[in-house]
Amino acid sequence: MKFTAILAASTILAGAAAAQDVDKSDWPSSFTVGTASQGGTYFAYGSGWANLVAKELGLTGGGEVTGGPMQNMALVHTGEAAFGMTTMGPAAESLAGTNPIAPGLEMTQACAMFPMYQTPFSVTALASSGIETVADIPAGAKIGFGPAGSTSDTYFPRMMDTLGVEYERRNGGWTDLGGQLQDGLLDVIAFAAGVPVPAVSQLEVQTDVNIIEFTEEEQAKLLEEFPVSQFDIASSTYTTLEADARSVSMWNFAIANCDLPESFVKAAVDVVMSDNERMKGIHKAAASSLPENWDKNKVLKWHPGAAAWFKENADADISDDMIYGN
């Protein structure tokens, strides 16, 4: 597969305090961050923090368009990408060797780096479709589930099965699927992405949409069957919403190849974690990118550099057996 790289070259001298007075002789001169398709939160968020780290550490780096969390686990595990982004469900499957990209391969070289945000699962349809609830989705509806292998594509079809929805599965980038929905080629898009989802925000500007919440009963079924948590999409997220929308969510973490130099990863984590206001300027979802959320990782081993940062700056109680190399 060919990837589209969005690289932000930088010759600016290192400005991050964490990177000063550190031996950089074993640091890479460039890096990429595996994100997802354009139009989704991963691409905007990932490209943003990649560019920020490149600027602050005086390196060349940027975000790379990928198939999302499953593929990012594979790219980081092999070292094809230094960094990436994943959700806890795909991370657990990848560690267990059930990642569909490489069945049987236990991707143990991808380590936790820092907490990002929760990914809500939500359904969007055109207002003109008359679809206002999950139960309204007609049998055989064409549903766009996002890029193949993404968190959305991995879990949302199973969720729809659990809720009794009969559908035709469609895949693609979020921007493309948004265009297909607007053109009437799709009935529904099932998003699993940090909010606000750029493609949904763009749709709101161009046409009337329904952002469909789960009923209490539907939410309870999903909580019982899947590794998700309760979540409300705040009414302020989209102009379409008049009240908070009931949903479920899955935590996202940045990941690093476990063999990257400890000082390099520690410096990169410091850039992202030390200034949340700057991160929120990249994407609103970064409001949850806080040091205290380190404990939301219960799946991946920590990169030693990341573990050191959280122990020193967030009083993180990370056990030795959850740190790579111990």
Side-chain angles (χ1 to χ4, degrees), residues 173-205:
W174 291 125
T175 299
D176 179 49
L177 293 178
Q180 290 186 46
L181 181 70
Q182 189 172 2
D183 292 342
L185 301 176
L186 293 175
D187 299 293
V188 166
I189 298 180
F191 286 95
V195 293
V197 180
V200 176
S201 298
Q202 182 177 351
L203 276 171
E204 284 190 304
V205 173

Side-chain angles (χ1 to χ4, degrees), residues 199-320:
V200 176
S201 298
Q202 182 177 351
L203 276 171
E204 284 190 304
V205 173
Q206 298 171 337
T207 188
D208 294 331
V209 300
N210 290 335
I211 297 173
I212 299 164
E213 68 173 353
F214 297 119
T215 65
E216 291 184 4
E217 181 182 1
E218 290 166 348
Q219 184 188 59
K221 286 183 179 179
L222 299 180
L223 291 172
E224 182 178 352
E225 293 291 329
F226 301 96
V228 293
S229 306
Q230 290 184 347
F231 188 90
D232 286 336
I233 301 174
S235 59
S236 59
T237 305
Y238 299 110
T239 57
T240 297
L241 288 177
E242 297 180 355
D244 294 352
R246 190 182 300 105
S247 180
V248 295
S249 69
M250 191 178 288
W251 266 94
N252 298 268
F253 263 70
I255 51 176
N257 180 271
C258 297
D259 291 329
L260 286 171
E262 181 173 337
S263 62
F264 172 50
V265 175
K266 186 177 181 181
V269 170
D270 187 69
V271 170
V272 176
M273 288 281 103
S274 63
D275 190 342
N276 188 248
E277 288 300 317
R278 184 167 59 180
M279 285 299 298
K280 287 191 292 186
I282 290 172
H283 198 285
K284 291 180 181 179
S288 297
S289 302
L290 300 171
E292 56 263 36
N293 286 325
W294 68 268
D295 62 353
K296 302 305 188 293
N297 168 39
K298 304 183 187 303
V299 175
L300 294 165
K301 287 200 172 186
W302 286 91
H303 189 286
W309 191 92
F310 284 99
K311 284 187 172 186
E312 294 172 12
N313 296 279
D315 294 323
D317 183 19
I318 302 173
S319 61
D320 288 345

Side-chain angles (χ1 to χ4, degrees), residues 6-12 29-31 50-51 54-56 58-63:
I6 309 298
L7 295 177
S10 174
T11 57
I12 301 174
S29 60
S30 64
F31 67 89
N51 294 342
K55 176 182 178 181
E56 292 296 319
L59 303 173
T60 298

Side-chain angles (χ1 to χ4, degrees), residues 48-124:
W49 77 258
N51 294 342
L52 181 62
V53 168
K55 176 182 178 181
E56 292 296 319
L57 300 187
L59 303 173
T60 298
E64 184 176 87
V65 173
T66 71
M70 287 288 192
Q71 190 161 40
N72 292 340
M73 284 293 296
L75 291 171
V76 172
H77 170 77
T78 60
E80 188 171 342
F83 303 130
M85 300 153 68
T86 193
T87 38
M88 291 293 97
E93 294 196 27
S94 299
L95 291 179
T98 56
N99 187 318
I101 292 173
L105 176 63
E106 296 178 0
M107 299 180 184
T108 56
Q109 293 298 112
C111 283
M113 189 177 177
F114 61 82
M116 299 195 304
Y117 54 84
Q118 296 179 75
T119 288
F121 289 74
S122 63
V123 180
T124 301

Side-chain angles (χ1 to χ4, degrees), residues 158-172:
R158 302 178 195 172
M159 290 180 174
M160 289 298 186
D161 292 340
T162 298
L163 299 179
V165 178
E166 298 178 19
Y167 55 85
E168 291 185 21
R169 187 173 185 159
R170 296 289 186 271
N171 292 114

